Amino acid sequence: MHTLVLNAGYEPLAVVTFKRALALVMNEKARVLQIDTGHPVWATSGVWDRPSVILLTRYVRIPRGRMVPVSRRGVLRRDEHRCAYCGKSASTIDHVLPRSRGGRDTWENLVACCLRCNNTKSDRTPAEMGWQLRFTPYVPREGGWQLRSTERVLPEWGEFLEPAA
């Protein structure tokens, strides 16, 4: 069970264990905004609801320009595990401009790819293959991407992770 931590300005900051969240609440460093009703925490000193979302009482400065690090897991998540070439289920990643030709490990050069397309493409560019990308690779910037320690975002966090309009 995990808890979404919001900064005092309501921007997503991190995902922590419910134990850490309870400690922050009990030490009055955060307050509970949303609880997980189905799983109370039992202790010798009492029973508490597990927090699903907490809000810090003091603002924590976040360095500007905090980039989301490139990772295989991140690329697959960004592309929703769909091949950028054929649209089938993807389990690997591919360099649009191959590394053998100077392609780098960047968000804009990596895409999710099925094993078949990855092997067929080899060290060629999509243009050489006569292929087109189904979308333009991008650096993720939405609120959920800035969260540390999470791969899966819980549905009840949705309203807190919506990008500000």
Side-chain angles (χ1 to χ4, degrees):
M1 304 303 274
H2 288 92
T3 302
L4 174 64
V5 179
L6 301 177
N7 211 343
Y10 284 84
E11 57 267 91
L13 190 61
V15 174
V16 297
T17 65
F18 78 89
K19 291 178 184 180
R20 175 71 177 133
L22 275 177
L24 288 169
V25 170
M26 291 178 158
N27 289 321
E28 298 180 359
K29 295 183 180 202
R31 65 183 177 92
V32 177
L33 291 183
Q34 198 169 53
I35 58 171
D36 180 3
T37 55
H39 303 93
V41 177
W42 295 81
T44 55
S45 56
V47 178
W48 294 274
D49 288 321
R50 289 182 194 239
S52 179
V53 180
I54 62 173
L55 177 71
L56 296 178
T57 55
R58 297 182 71 178
Y59 187 80
V60 175
R61 274 185 47 97
I62 303 169
R64 283 283 175 213
R66 188 165 103 180
M67 292 291 295
V68 180
V70 179
S71 67
R72 177 183 178 279
R73 180 183 282 178
V75 171
L76 289 169
R77 181 176 161 206
R78 178 198 65 190
D79 298 351
E80 298 174 354
H81 293 271
R82 292 279 161 221
C83 180
Y85 304 113
C86 70
K88 293 182 181 173
S89 180
S91 58
T92 64
I93 60 172
D94 179 59
H95 290 79
V96 178
L97 177 63
R99 291 175 70 182
S100 63
R101 299 188 183 185
R104 302 183 49 92
D105 292 339
T106 63
W107 284 106
E108 294 88 355
N109 192 47
L110 292 171
V111 292
C113 189
C114 69
L115 193 57
R116 182 172 181 239
C117 287
N118 205 346
N119 286 334
T120 302
K121 181 177 171 281
S122 188
D123 67 343
R124 293 174 286 208
T125 66
E128 291 172 345
M129 296 294 297
W131 293 357
Q132 284 202 326
L133 289 171
R134 297 170 48 104
F135 59 88
T136 302
Y138 62 94
V139 178
R141 299 189 195 286
E142 298 88 32
W145 284 92
Q146 296 297 336
L147 294 179
R148 292 180 295 124
S149 308
T150 187
E151 173 63 21
R152 188 174 55 105
V153 175
L154 299 178
E156 59 264 25
W157 298 348
E159 66 181 284
F160 301 104
L161 298 178
E162 295 291 322

